[in-house]
């Protein structure tokens, strides 16, 4: 884990999603246009859509890799983007080879890889949104499997929210503790609500007991922690800290 806020990775994913949105809009224009005319203008629109779509996937893939390398749990998104990229290329090659019938074999393989890649990317978006507690990224990613244009718009807006919060110091690192082997560490971004309840996820490689909890820098201690025994793997924890109205939001 690099220890740095992965703004560049988030920006790459967001710009890649924007390319995908624009490419989709061009297809919405170009496909009906191709049915009524076969001019150079129509071909140019479709080619532009294909190029933008390819550039978008490349950027999303690069962003996911940067985020993965910084320690975020989005490696599945990088894998998905790679499959989408390969599937995309196979579909194009298959369309060209349709002239000699070989494309009938190539295109279904490309379409299958593309679809699997879209699902894995959706999971990557969900994990990314879960890390920063951004619902638009979480549910936009899942929605992108069936309504990918609407889902991508939601992801694009949600990523903008995350980037603004990170840039303004609204929250800092998505992980609080070291992830060295054998250590207990936090997974994703926890939430401290106005009613005094904090929810977060801890990963433990072994069974352990939480003896106490407090808000660092403030000293406010939790009066209850549920569960207080960690099992091997991920554990969803709820702690109650009482009155926290004196704490500044986002700190």
């Amino acid at each position: 884990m690099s220890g740095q806020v992965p703004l560049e990775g988030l920006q790459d994913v967001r710009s890649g999603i924007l390319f995908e949105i624009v490419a989709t809009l061009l297809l919405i224009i170009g496909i009906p246009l191709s049915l009524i005319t076969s001019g150079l203008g129509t071909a140019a629109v479709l080619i532009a859509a294909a190029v933008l779509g390819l550039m978008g996937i490349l950027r999303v893939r690069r962003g996911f890799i940067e985020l993965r390398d910084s320690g975020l749990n989005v490696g599945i998104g990088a894998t998905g983007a790679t499959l989408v990229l390969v599937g995309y290329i196979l579909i194009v090659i298959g369309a060209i080879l349709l002239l000699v019938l070989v494309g009938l074999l190539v295109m279904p393989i490309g379409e299958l890889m593309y679809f699997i890649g879209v699902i894995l990317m959706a999971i990557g978006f969900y994990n990314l949104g879960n890390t920063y507690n951004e619902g638009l990224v979480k549910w936009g990613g899942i929605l992108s499997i069936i309504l990918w244009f609407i889902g991508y718009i939601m992801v694009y807006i949600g990523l903008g929210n995350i980037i603004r919060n990170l840039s303004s110091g609204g929250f800092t690192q998505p992980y609080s503790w070291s992830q060295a082997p054998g250590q207990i560490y936090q997974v994703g971004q926890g939430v401290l609500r106005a009613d005094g309840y904090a929810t977060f996820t801890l990963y433990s490689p072994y069974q352990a007991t939480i003896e106490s909890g407090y808000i660092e820098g403030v000293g406010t201690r939790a009066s209850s922690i549920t569960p207080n025994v960690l099992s091997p793997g991920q554990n969803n924890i709820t702690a109650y800290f009482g009155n926290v109205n004196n704490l500044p939001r986002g700190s």
Side-chain angles (χ1 to χ4, degrees), residues 211-226:
E211 296 183 351
S212 64
Y214 66 94
I215 301 176
E216 187 175 358
V218 180
T220 302
R221 290 190 171 273
S223 59
S224 66
I225 301 176
T226 307

Side-chain angles (χ1 to χ4, degrees), residues 64-65 67-69 71-82 120 124 127:
F64 268 132
I65 290 173
L67 295 173
R68 179 199 65 193
D69 292 345
L72 273 66
N73 181 28
V74 294
I76 193 170
T79 302
T82 300
L120 296 182
N127 290 345

Side-chain angles (χ1 to χ4, degrees), residues 116-167:
I116 294 173
V118 166
I119 294 175
L120 296 182
M121 277 179 55
I123 297 173
F125 287 129
Y126 182 89
N127 290 345
L128 181 58
N130 190 52
T131 295
Y132 289 103
N133 195 35
E134 176 52 63
L136 284 174
V137 177
K138 286 171 57 176
W139 304 116
I142 298 301
L143 187 62
S144 68
I145 298 176
I146 51 176
L147 296 173
W148 59 282
F149 182 64
I150 298 175
Y152 279 177
I153 291 176
M154 292 173 62
V155 170
Y156 179 80
I157 296 172
L159 287 173
N161 294 337
I162 294 174
I163 291 170
R164 280 191 296 274
N165 282 330
L166 284 171
S167 300

Side-chain angles (χ1 to χ4, degrees), residues 1-9 63 65-73 132 172-175 177-180:
M1 180 175 174
S2 68
Q4 299 296 320
V5 176
L7 273 176
E8 185 175 347
I65 290 173
E66 291 168 344
L67 295 173
R68 179 199 65 193
D69 292 345
S70 72
L72 273 66
N73 181 28
Y132 289 103
T172 54
Q173 295 296 339
Y175 292 89
W177 298 312
S178 169
Q179 295 189 27

Side-chain angles (χ1 to χ4, degrees), residues 183-207:
Q183 290 191 349
I184 298 171
Y185 59 84
Q186 182 176 342
V187 178
Q189 182 78 17
V191 176
L192 175 60
R193 302 199 305 264
D195 60 6
Y197 283 94
T199 56
F200 52 94
T201 301
L202 298 181
Y203 174 84
S204 177
Y206 42 75
Q207 183 169 311

